[in-house]
Structures are given as structure tokens and as C-alpha cells.
Amino acid sequence: MKLSWRKTPIAGIIFEPGSSAEYRTGDWRIEKKPIINQDKCIRCLICWIICPDVSINRLQKPYGKYEETIEVDYYHCKGCGICSAECPVKAIEMVEESRVVA
Amino acid sequence: MPGAYTGDEAAAYAAKQCRVDVVAAYPITPQTIIVERFSDYVADGEVDTKYLYAESEHSAMSACVGASLAGARVFTATASQGLALMHEVLYLASGLRCPIVMAVVNRALSAPINIHGDHSDMMGSRDCGWIQLYAENAQETYDLIVQAFKIAEEETVQLPVTVNLDGFTVSHATESMKVLSDEDVDKFLPPRKPIFKVDPETPITVGAMALPEYYYEVKRQQEEAIQKSKGVVKMVGDEYGKFTGRRYGFMETFGLEDADAAIMCLGSTCGTVRSVAKDLRAKGKKVGLIKLWTYRPFPTEEFLSTIKDLKALAVMDRAISFGAPYGALCSDVSSALQNTGMDIKVMNMIYGLGGRDTPPSTVREVFDEALRTAKTGRVKERIRFLDVRE
């Protein structure tokens, strides 16, 4: 629901802090999305540090010997592939969107 | 209270009495005395103002925008190249709805380099979204600056205002004039009440990107604000009149009740035109003057009702719009007349570039030409360049 010019906040100001999280940058992805192989992943957190869009989530979900699970936030991930390129154990594969069953 | 001030001194004194919180400025001829005088006030402890010595006009205006967004009452001043260097930030000030007041001491733009008066600087930035007022003399400079804060800070306006005064002719000439007492200015101009501000206690995002989905809406809203500010300009002008006996508004006219031909112009030349018009009227010539205080927002309806009985109007522009059919003011006049069915002959007179003197004899020439046009109904030349060596 887009606002009319009369209802648009003055000077385009955003009065609600943190609201940029609502912006779905995930639909900027055009080719591939990162898929994390939970068995290969060693929880080193390199992807979490280097992701330029803060789209790697650390979830308190135990998996095997690990206490947390590393997941991609696809609502914001733009599919740049940096996480996949930097992963030291090649646990992140960039997969054609069309071949991924959501 | 009577006193003797130059236009620049009058501007600094007005800003002082308006109790501005922040001045961020850079000196440039012929505005220098404004910031020089204001820094004297700061050094002597006469004002409670944060004075920022910026390294350029671009920085000065940027600092003004920041201070204004933080809720401060902000004043600055510039001229010519300084205004040109501020150009991109002027649009931020208006787009972010910062009620900054700026004295612009009109001076010719380079090249060739020149320090004297004309309106090419402000006309170069005329579409920057600021309310633009023009003063005829030091008295009006003072009066308009006091009013400018009240107009800018009005809840429905929230827009920056320039008060223009002609370089040297007004800025450096000493005049006897009346100033208000500090108490009276306080009565007329209460402290600013910002409708929003940047404050760590309640975070907001200012200056966020607006892509095709929202940019247009923000700009449409801004246009509404400047058009609606006409009511505020008038209200504040009336109120100032009640307060001081000097009424302001969109324009001042002389002899328009029965004039056949009139001159319209901005700034100090209006004084010369009025004096010549008085002489000519004493000789039975039906001439008049339209002096515009408020150039933006352009008071279209009021202007049209003012000129309805005129036959010929000579519009004097103190700047060239290179390659355009007319100068800026004359373009506005002819667009205002469009589709009204009024048959007023308009001619454009470019004058006074780079401080070229415009003596009474030149104004008499313009009136003669306008009277001739009023009689014959024919405009001899759409545009003339006065006092240039042919």
C-alpha cells in the first residue's frame, strides 16, 4: 500500500527505527542462491563476518556436535556469493534458483 | 529605535536579535561584513550562538542543514560564487525542510570575475526550493530577515528563506533606519518549535533514499508547502505591519491605480524607479512601479489583480537567462499572463549586470518606451539590453 503525497511523511523522514529490515532485498537475486551444507560446515563464522548484507543467521538449533546452526536469511540475501567463495571448507554452494525446491 | 546601518550591518543586527542558535558561514565579498559583524557579537559575548567557521560555502550550508535538523534556529549569508558552491546543498535544505534563513548579497557570477551587484547568483539557484525575498534597502533587509524566521518556522511551511540585498548598493551603503528593541523582536518571534528533530532519544532516519516509488511524492508535498506559504508570507507581513507600521507582503506598488505603463523589478533599483515615477507623475504621465518582495513563491493571483488595468509593463531583469526568450522575472510574468486573456504588452529590459549603474535617465527611457507601447499597442523590442555599449 503506497502512500499518497499528502500522507507521505514530511521530507521523506522515516520515523520508525530499524525499519529497513522490512525491505526485501532478497528479490534482487537473479541467478543463484547460497545453500549451506550443514554436515560440511565447521561453524567458523567466516561467512557470518563477511556477508555484506548481514544475511547469515546464527540460530540456537543444535545440529550434530554443534550447538548452533548457520542459516542464510533469504529475505535479505542478494546472492553475491562472497560467503561461498570465502568458506574454508567449501560448505556453501551457489545453486541455480530454479533448481532449488523452496 | 533609529540608527545608521549598512545593509550588511542591518542583516547581522537582525540575525543577532532573532537569537539564532547556530551560524555556519564563509566570508565572501560583498557579504563579508555580515559574518564579520556577527563574529564580533560572538567574541564580545553579546549572543549565545554557536559560530562555525566553515572551510567553504558547501561546508557552511551542510553544517546549517545539520544544525537545523537538530532543531536549532540557523542563519547564514553568502554571495555570488559562494551561493554557486552551495548550490547542491540548497536542495537538501529545502528537501529536508530546514527553516534556515540566509542573507544573499547579490553579486555577479564569474566569468569575467566581478564583485559588484546583479541577480545572476540567486537566479542561478532560483529553482532550489527556497522562499526568496528581495529587499530594496537596509531597512527592508532588516525587516525581511526578522519576518523570514517567522515564515520559515511556521508549522505548515518548514522551508528555508533567502533574503536578497543588492551588493554594494545596499550592502555597503549606510542608511538611517529603524530597528526594533530586543524585547519587541522576542515578542514578534518566539523561539523555534521544530516539528521533528534529529535526537538520539527518539531516533529517526533523515535523508533516506527515495527511489521512483516515493521521490515524486516527497517533491509534490514540498511544492504544496511553498505554494501554501503564500498565506503565511501575507499573514506575517500584516502582523509585522501592525507591530512596526511597516507593512510587508508579496509586493509594493506605486501609481498602479490609474497607470497605463509600469516597471516591475526587484531590489534596490525599485528606489530609482519610484523616484523617477514620482517626477513623471508630477508631469502628468500615468506611470507606476511594481516592486516584488516575494519572488518565490511567485504571487501569481495577486500580481494579475494588480496589473489588470495596465496597458504596458516593462519587466527589468538584472540577470540574463542565456539562450532563453526572456530573463527570469519576465519569464514568470509572461507565464502568469498565459491563458488569462489579458492584453498587456510586456517588454523585457536587462540592466545593471556586474554592477553597471542604472541612473534615473535610464529608467526614464524605459518609462518613455513603455508609455509609447501603451499608446500604440506595439512592442518595438521584446528584449533590450540597457546601458551596454552597442
Side-chain angles (χ1 to χ4, degrees):
Chain A
M1 177 56 195
K2 298 269 189 285
L3 299 169
S4 79
W5 67 262
R6 291 168 209 277
K7 293 255 161 56
T8 298
I10 187 166
I13 288 173
I14 300 165
F15 288 94
E16 191 192 332
S19 58
S20 61
E22 288 172 32
Y23 190 22
R24 184 172 193 149
T25 51
D27 58 14
W28 296 19
R29 287 199 306 278
I30 47 166
E31 284 185 348
K32 296 176 174 179
K33 67 196 289 187
I35 306 277
I36 301 176
N37 180 324
Q38 296 296 341
D39 297 319
K40 279 191 186 174
C41 170
I42 57 169
R43 279 47 174 184
C44 70
L45 302 183
I46 286 178
C47 59
W48 175 76
I49 292 164
I50 54 90
C51 173
D53 278 307
V54 204
S55 299
I56 303 288
N57 292 338
R58 297 169 61 184
L59 304 175
Q60 295 308 308
K61 278 200 307 201
Y63 185 91
K65 62 177 178 181
Y66 298 106
E67 278 182 14
E68 55 178 21
T69 305
I70 310 302
E71 283 187 0
V72 179
D73 162 13
Y74 293 113
Y75 189 87
H76 295 111
C77 165
K78 296 174 188 165
C80 71
I82 292 176
C83 54
S84 168
E86 295 296 327
C87 178
V89 294
K90 300 279 173 271
I92 307 178
E93 193 189 349
M94 297 303 290
V95 181
E96 293 280 344
E97 292 269 357
S98 54
R99 291 182 39 219
V100 178
V101 182
Chain B
M1 298 186 292
Y5 300 84
T6 64
D8 275 359
E9 288 168 343
Y13 193 71
K16 173 189 182 214
Q17 289 187 304
C18 291
R19 299 192 188 279
V20 292
D21 301 304
V22 174
V23 171
Y26 191 89
I28 180 169
T29 301
Q31 153 271 23
T32 306
I33 297 159
I34 300 179
V35 288
E36 220 168 58
R37 193 52 45 93
F38 202 91
S39 41
D40 285 346
Y41 296 145
V42 175
D44 297 344
E46 289 183 52
V47 286
D48 184 20
T49 304
K50 176 80 189 151
Y51 193 110
L52 284 131
Y53 301 89
E55 80 271 39
S56 76
E57 286 85 357
H58 190 281
S59 308
M61 183 46 64
S62 301
C64 287
V65 168
S68 186
L69 289 171
R73 176 172 290 164
V74 182
F75 176 77
T76 186
T78 191
S80 182
Q81 307 302 120
L83 186 70
L85 187 56
M86 282 180 182
H87 186 75
E88 68 165 331
V89 194
L90 298 177
Y91 288 74
L92 272 81
S94 58
L96 294 173
R97 310 293 295 275
C98 302
I100 298 161
V101 173
M102 171 161 68
V104 175
V105 186
N106 303 111
R107 166 191 147 182
L109 281 173
S110 219
I113 195 156
N114 172 293
I115 55 166
H116 293 275
D118 74 25
H119 295 156
S120 55
D121 52 3
M122 194 68 247
M123 290 306 170
S125 288
R126 80 179 168 165
D127 290 344
C128 64
W130 287 50
I131 292 171
Q132 292 156 46
L133 312 174
Y134 280 80
E136 182 187 327
N137 49 36
Q139 180 73 64
E140 291 191 358
T141 303
Y142 173 86
D143 292 339
L144 287 173
I145 286 175
V146 175
Q147 291 171 73
F149 281 107
K150 189 139 177 150
I151 295 164
E153 293 172 6
E154 176 66 33
E155 190 180 344
T156 56
V157 179
Q158 302 291 316
L159 285 168
V161 183
T162 64
V163 174
N164 291 267
L165 52 148
D166 281 320
F168 292 106
T169 320
V170 177
S171 68
H172 285 59
T174 303
E175 296 171 29
S176 79
M177 51 175 273
K178 292 193 176 90
V179 296
L180 300 172
S181 67
D182 293 356
E183 295 72 35
D184 278 348
V185 176
D186 286 341
K187 252 183 258 165
F188 181 79
L189 182 71
R192 180 185 168 195
K193 287 196 203 72
I195 61 168
F196 64 84
K197 62 177 183 183
V198 176
D199 178 359
E201 296 302 311
T202 47
I204 57 172
T205 302
V206 176
M209 191 182 247
L211 292 171
E213 293 147 332
Y214 267 110
Y215 181 87
Y216 198 175
E217 276 69 27
V218 175
K219 288 291 139 183
R220 175 66 186 84
Q221 197 181 70
Q222 194 184 320
E223 169 62 3
E224 188 76 1
I226 196 165
Q227 292 290 359
K228 283 268 167 65
S229 74
K230 287 177 191 176
V232 178
V233 169
K234 194 168 168 1
M235 182 185 79
V236 170
D238 287 343
E239 197 184 327
Y240 195 80
K242 282 197 197 89
F243 207 70
T244 63
R246 298 185 296 277
R247 211 163 137 264
Y248 285 81
F250 304 120
M251 60 182 89
E252 178 186 49
T253 60
F254 171 77
L256 264 275
E257 50 291 333
D258 66 346
D260 292 327
I263 287 177
M264 180 170 182
C265 66
L266 301 163
S268 61
T269 307
C270 296
T272 314
V273 175
R274 189 186 298 102
S275 143
V276 171
K278 276 182 184 163
D279 290 351
L280 290 175
R281 287 189 80 86
K283 292 179 187 142
K285 307 257 200 233
K286 293 191 165 177
V287 293
L289 159 70
I290 302 166
K291 174 178 92 182
L292 215 50
W293 280 308
T294 311
Y295 176 66
R296 284 290 181 271
F298 192 83
T300 309
E301 290 73 25
E302 300 72 15
F303 165 71
L304 291 172
S305 64
T306 302
I307 60 165
K308 60 184 191 307
D309 302 326
L310 269 184
K311 295 192 181 80
L313 179 62
V315 183
M316 292 181 70
D317 264 293
R318 207 175 175 180
I320 296 176
S321 287
F322 292 99
Y326 283 134
L329 183 58
C330 196
S331 295
D332 288 341
V333 165
S334 36
S335 12
L337 280 166
Q338 188 62 244
N339 303 333
T340 58
M342 292 161 87
D343 184 28
I344 293 167
K345 300 298 172 208
V346 174
M347 62 215 86
N348 195 189
M349 304 286 175
I350 306 289
Y351 76 101
L353 299 194
R356 178 64 49 92
D357 193 27
T358 304
S361 55
T362 299
V363 176
R364 262 195 299 277
E365 240 180 87
V366 176
F367 270 133
D368 286 349
E369 182 63 37
L371 282 165
R372 207 173 15 250
T373 304
K375 204 147 92 196
T376 62
R378 275 204 314 279
V379 176
K380 210 164 77 182
E381 285 174 291
R382 285 170 51 86
I383 186 160
R384 266 183 70 190
F385 297 86
L386 303 172
D387 291 322
V388 72
R389 290 183 296 280
E390 292 294 347

